[in-house]
Amino acid sequence: MATMSEGRRQTQPRSSSSGRETSLWSSGFGMKLEAVTPFLGKYRPFVGRCCQTCTPKSWESLFHRSITDLGFCSVILVKEENTRFRGWLVRRLCYFLWSLEQHIPPCQDAPQKIVESTRVQNLLSARVPGGAGEGQAPDLVKKEVQRILGHIQASPRPFLVRLFSWALLRFLNCLFLNVQLHKGQMKMVQKAAQAGSPLVLLSTHKTLLDGILLPFMLLSQGLGVLRVAWDSRACSPALRVLLRKLGGLFLPPEANLSLDSSEGLLARAVVQAASAPLGLRTGALVVLRSLWSHWGCSRRICSRVHLAQPFSLQEYIVSARSCWGGRQTLEQLLQPIVLGQCTAVPDTEKEQEWTPITGPLLALKEEDQLLVRRLSCHVLSASVGSAAVMSTAIMATLLLFKHQKLLGEFSWLTEEILLRGFDVGFSGQLRSLLKHSLSLLRAHVALLRIRQGDLLVVLRPGPGLTQLARLSAELLPVFLSEAVGACAVRGLLAGRVPPQGPWELQGILLLSQNELYRQILLLMHLLPQDLLLLKPCQSSYCYCQEVLDRLIQCGLLVAEETPGSRSACDTGRQRLSRKLLWKPSGDFTDSDSDDFEEAEGRYFRLSQQSHCPDFFLFLCRLLSPLLKAFAQAAAFLHQGQLPDTESGYTEQLFQFLQATAQEEGIFECADPKLAISAIWTFRDLGVLQQMPSPAGPRLHLSPTFASRENQEKLEQFIRQFICS
């Protein structure tokens, strides 16, 4: 329940029957604004920079110096000025004339280039197993190459592409008010395209419209026809023919055959020579149905496309191979600690790869497979960092965490997002933004007018809270470091003070830096890799120091100088130890605390400022849905019916999460994605084991966790990080 009141009344205290209205943060913590802008001073934060460690040259050369001065443009706004002609008739036919002027590069020699590629030529000359020398005539292999190539792609038909662009432009103008694109981000992509190398674009697919909207956007910006990869199983034969002529790519079924199949080997060679895909799009008919449903909406919507900074793949391959080190599985790292067999955290990184294993990936060497997986971590980190936070995510977070004064806290949270280098996708008058956000969430909230200008916002109980939790999860990457640190502190205090104890009592305890490092490492290893978004080139201990620095910067931790110890800020008498002098360059941070021997005597306390208890609770609640789902999955181990397939056990766990949500009235954990994440994590932890069977792989409960005692130890280990 929350209250939204007039701006002129926000500065006046209000009284109620129970006394002064409580507020999550005091008025001095944040600044209330009547208007919200996505700027810090004159500039808006730039997001989506590539990795400076792995691609330093791209980080420098492919960055637009004036990017912060450039604004946005609408890619569907086509006027008379966008054509070479002028006049009354041109203003009415500008869409059609614009589509005629689009540059569509020819690609008649593409089939010949593919046949002449190295891998295909090796097959034709029998230099690899499965080639023409093993019972197949070269002419037959050439015909097979042509057949596979015909299934994959066709030469784009300029007339069809222009006709489709014209029709899509008219349709998008009926669907959207505008489709915003940052000019500076587009300048960087165009600069990378001018280098002459093939341009590969990977999409995170925020919506079902990406497979159609993104190629149109890039065509309108002069990058030519984009080759988009589609899943042929979701398209009818007639639709596949049309999409191939519009520039679509379809992977042949043979590409996913076993590695010892000659057909699969040939198909993968052709695919490698033919593709520069945007990303696999599944369900073309679903996209069309989604477009049709949007057509029936009475209000047009706004859309925004984010482009991260491009980087050289060749530069990444050379740099990434030098950053590889030893890694251990999650079972080796955490299972002994969960069971109480040891207390020390191994000084190594976690190996947790959830990349789907497909035929083209299996065709690569083990070293190249690892390179692809780590590249996906970099791409995912950049894509999440470049996405703007929307007003509905902020509103859902404030409502779920029962904030009282929405106007002031919405402004404060927006400012905190911008200060952390993330972008927001809204601006305007504060009251208008809140009303618009609440109108978008009207299926999950009820608005009650209690007096003139004041609204009481009440959450509707039920499964709709799961949708609010999904929206609030968009804020997690912004506050992830602080949230990990807060939950780690909660785990450190769990055995020392009562969970419901006063904040003043918790602030008395001294927290050593080594203890904080250990708790942060334990939580880091427990969290999934796709949530943590830790780059492969970044060590865990560097991330621990980053988390600790964030907790100090936001005011939750204050340094406590013990008697006889050197001040943490006294750097005058500090000398570089031999250990620090010979560290690899990738292990340096901005702090001198990498030398852990010097950090043994450093202690911290929880700050006693008035805003800290509520802010600490806010950070812990960001990770609560995931951690609670993991804890409930541990409690479900003795009830689950095993062995079962992964999909079957996921359905069992999801039904248990729903039943628990109905009993407790907390629906944030009743999410099938959280159930899948819990099962994958438990499989890596050694709680569940995947074994082959005639009907396919099946999950079994590990003998180690067959006892209730070890199951309770696992649940207790997870619940120490949850703040009630």
Side-chain angles (χ1 to χ4, degrees):
M1 208 165 46
T3 305
M4 184 178 72
S5 55
E6 290 282 0
R8 64 177 183 274
R9 298 183 181 179
Q10 287 291 313
T11 58
Q12 301 176 358
R14 291 188 294 170
S15 60
S16 62
S17 58
S18 60
R20 182 175 56 86
E21 183 183 16
T22 59
S23 176
L24 183 62
W25 291 288
S26 62
S27 58
F29 187 76
M31 180 177 60
K32 293 194 289 287
L33 300 174
E34 289 299 324
V36 178
T37 59
F39 298 95
L40 283 175
K42 294 174 57 179
Y43 306 105
R44 67 188 309 142
F46 175 72
V47 294
R49 293 295 299 267
C50 62
C51 181
Q52 190 176 12
T53 302
C54 298
T55 53
K57 295 181 180 178
S58 300
W59 190 87
E60 177 69 24
S61 61
L62 296 180
F63 180 70
H64 197 276
R65 296 298 176 187
S66 303
I67 190 170
T68 54
D69 299 330
L70 300 176
F72 288 84
C73 66
S74 178
V75 297
I76 63 173
L77 181 61
V78 175
K79 297 182 178 179
E80 177 185 4
E81 292 77 11
N82 299 106
T83 67
R84 295 178 297 168
F85 309 98
R86 298 293 181 269
W88 171 84
L89 185 60
V90 173
R91 287 192 290 271
R92 280 147 182 82
L93 298 177
C94 57
Y95 288 3
F96 180 73
L97 294 174
W98 172 86
S99 63
L100 292 179
E101 295 180 355
Q102 297 306 306
H103 174 64
I104 302 180
C107 55
Q108 291 88 354
D109 57 344
Q112 185 63 27
K113 289 182 178 180
I114 293 172
V115 174
E116 294 174 356
S117 65
T118 304
R119 291 195 64 181
V120 175
Q121 286 297 316
N122 288 341
L123 287 172
L124 294 177
S125 59
R127 274 178 271 180
V128 296
E134 296 190 358
Q136 299 185 53
D139 293 338
L140 295 178
V141 177
K142 288 183 179 180
K143 290 182 180 179
E144 184 66 14
V145 169
Q146 294 291 342
R147 184 195 67 80
I148 296 173
L149 185 59
H151 182 92
I152 294 175
Q153 66 179 6
S155 298
R157 299 295 189 267
F159 173 75
L160 285 178
V161 173
R162 292 190 173 99
L163 180 62
F164 184 77
S165 300
W166 168 78
L168 187 59
L169 179 61
R170 294 193 63 86
F171 185 81
L172 292 176
N173 274 277
C174 296
L175 181 62
F176 295 106
L177 284 172
N178 56 67
V179 178
Q180 293 184 348
L181 175 66
H182 196 282
K183 296 179 181 178
Q185 294 177 350
M186 195 66 238
K187 290 285 187 183
M188 292 190 300
V189 176
Q190 291 173 342
K191 186 176 182 180
Q194 293 172 358
S197 301
L199 193 63
V200 181
L201 297 155
L202 303 176
S203 172
T204 54
H205 302 308
K206 293 289 186 179
T207 68
L208 294 174
L209 302 176
D210 292 356
I212 293 179
L213 180 59
L214 295 181
F216 169 81
M217 182 268 296
L218 295 170
L219 175 66
S220 67
Q221 300 301 310
L223 292 179
V225 179
L226 189 68
R227 292 288 192 167
V228 184
W230 298 76
D231 189 355
S232 59
R233 295 171 296 181
C235 303
S236 64
L239 186 58
R240 285 201 300 268
V241 173
L242 175 61
L243 291 175
R244 273 200 296 266
K245 292 182 179 180
L246 292 173
L249 297 175
F250 291 90
L251 296 183
E254 299 92 339
N256 286 320
L257 294 177
S258 60
L259 295 181
D260 55 358
S261 169
S262 60
E263 293 86 357
L265 189 63
L266 183 59
R268 285 188 288 271
V270 176
V271 167
Q272 186 182 31
S275 303
L278 171 77
L280 287 178
R281 288 302 301 127
T282 57
L285 296 180
V286 178
V287 173
L288 298 178
R289 284 197 297 266
S290 176
L291 288 172
W292 181 257
S293 64
H294 282 292
W295 180 272
C297 295
S298 57
R299 294 185 301 174
R300 292 190 295 171
I301 58 179
C302 300
S303 180
R304 184 166 159 189
V305 180
H306 307 277
L307 296 174
Q309 182 183 6
F311 62 91
S312 169
L313 184 59
Q314 182 179 7
E315 180 188 7
Y316 172 79
I317 292 175
V318 174
S319 302
R321 295 185 190 276
S322 62
C323 298
W324 291 353
R327 291 174 177 253
Q328 291 184 357
T329 63
L330 186 61
E331 180 178 357
Q332 296 170 327
L333 289 172
L334 273 192
Q335 191 180 103
I337 299 176
V338 170
L339 299 178
Q341 298 172 355
C342 70
T343 58
V345 184
D347 186 10
T348 185
E349 303 298 321
K350 177 179 67 172
E351 184 67 37
Q352 187 181 34
E353 305 295 351
W354 289 358
T355 308
I357 302 299
T358 59
L361 184 61
L362 288 175
L364 301 176
K365 299 178 181 178
E366 184 177 355
E367 184 181 6
D368 293 333
Q369 290 182 25
L370 183 61
L371 185 67
V372 170
R373 292 189 179 104
R374 297 190 176 181
L375 174 63
S376 65
C377 293
H378 274 284
V379 173
L380 182 61
S381 177
S383 62
V384 171
S386 62
V389 178
M390 305 308 293
S391 60
T392 51
I394 298 178
M395 181 59 65
T397 303
L398 295 177
L399 293 175
L400 276 178
F401 298 164
K402 297 180 175 60
H403 292 215
Q404 298 297 323
K405 296 182 179 180
L406 294 180
L407 283 174
E409 289 158 3
F410 189 96
S411 299
W412 168 81
L413 203 49
T414 302
E415 185 179 354
E416 290 295 317
I417 293 171
L418 294 172
L419 284 172
R420 284 163 173 78
F422 283 77
D423 199 5
V424 295
F426 56 87
S427 62
Q429 293 297 320
L430 183 57
R431 283 187 57 84
S432 300
L433 282 173
L434 264 66
K435 288 182 178 180
H436 178 68
S437 302
L438 290 173
S439 67
L440 295 177
L441 301 175
R442 59 186 177 274
H444 313 297
V445 299
L447 303 180
L448 305 176
R449 188 174 296 276
I450 56 178
R451 67 175 108 175
Q452 184 178 5
D454 290 351
L455 289 177
L456 188 66
V457 185
V458 182
L459 292 178
R460 300 182 187 272
L465 297 179
T466 305
Q467 179 61 26
L468 293 180
R470 291 174 183 170
L471 291 173
S472 66
E474 297 181 13
L475 284 183
L476 186 55
V478 181
F479 297 94
L480 184 59
S481 297
E482 293 95 327
V484 170
C487 291
V489 172
R490 176 63 261 168
L492 194 57
L493 296 175
R496 302 185 182 182
V497 296
Q500 303 297 337
W503 182 261
E504 292 77 10
L505 179 61
Q506 300 181 22
I508 296 176
L509 298 177
L510 287 177
L511 308 175
S512 71
Q513 184 164 321
N514 286 345
E515 290 176 329
L516 288 170
Y517 278 152
R518 180 181 181 275
Q519 287 297 118
I520 294 172
L521 278 175
L522 291 178
L523 184 55
M524 281 177 54
H525 292 329
L526 178 65
L527 293 177
Q529 190 69 34
D530 59 344
L531 173 75
L532 198 60
L533 298 177
L534 186 64
K535 295 180 180 179
C537 58
Q538 184 180 11
S539 69
S540 297
Y541 282 98
C542 288
Y543 187 77
C544 286
Q545 185 60 46
E546 178 185 337
V547 170
L548 190 59
D549 290 343
R550 290 289 186 93
L551 292 178
I552 297 173
Q553 290 170 6
C554 68
L556 284 179
L557 287 183
V558 292
E560 179 72 16
E561 305 298 342
T562 58
S565 64
R566 187 175 61 220
S567 173
C569 59
D570 183 11
T571 59
R573 293 178 296 170
Q574 294 185 15
R575 297 178 180 177
L576 292 176
S577 65
R578 183 179 302 275
K579 180 179 177 182
L580 186 60
L581 282 172
W582 291 102
K583 278 192 173 185
S585 59
D587 290 344
F588 281 105
T589 62
D590 295 333
S591 175
D592 60 346
S593 59
D594 281 331
D595 194 350
F596 292 98
E597 296 177 359
E598 301 230 352
E600 290 181 355
R602 296 181 186 169
Y603 292 85
F604 300 90
R605 292 183 189 270
L606 289 175
S607 175
Q608 296 300 308
Q609 297 183 32
S610 59
H611 71 273
C612 288
D614 293 320
F615 187 47
F616 181 83
L617 184 61
F618 165 79
L619 294 175
C620 290
R621 283 179 171 176
L622 288 175
L623 281 174
S624 289
L626 177 71
L627 294 175
K628 288 181 179 179
F630 281 16
Q632 293 180 17
F636 179 67
L637 288 175
H638 72 280
Q639 302 180 24
Q641 301 297 322
L642 289 173
D644 197 356
T645 62
E646 182 178 305
S647 59
Y649 191 69
T650 301
E651 183 62 27
Q652 289 187 47
L653 178 57
F654 177 57
Q655 291 178 1
F656 175 77
L657 294 178
Q658 286 183 315
T660 306
Q662 293 287 347
E663 294 175 2
E664 300 179 356
I666 303 175
F667 292 86
E668 290 87 342
C669 307
D671 192 332
K673 294 183 179 179
L674 296 181
I676 295 174
S677 182
I679 291 175
W680 287 0
T681 301
F682 283 9
R683 186 183 59 194
D684 293 340
L685 187 56
V687 180
L688 300 174
Q689 294 179 345
Q690 192 168 11
M691 299 182 180
S693 70
R698 298 176 71 85
L699 291 176
H700 295 252
L701 185 61
S702 169
T704 306
F705 288 89
S707 65
R708 286 294 301 273
E709 180 184 1
N710 288 344
Q711 294 175 10
E712 292 175 355
K713 287 181 180 179
L714 174 62
E715 183 180 359
Q716 184 179 4
F717 174 80
I718 298 172
R719 289 196 178 276
Q720 68 174 326
F721 301 109
I722 301 176
C723 189
S724 58

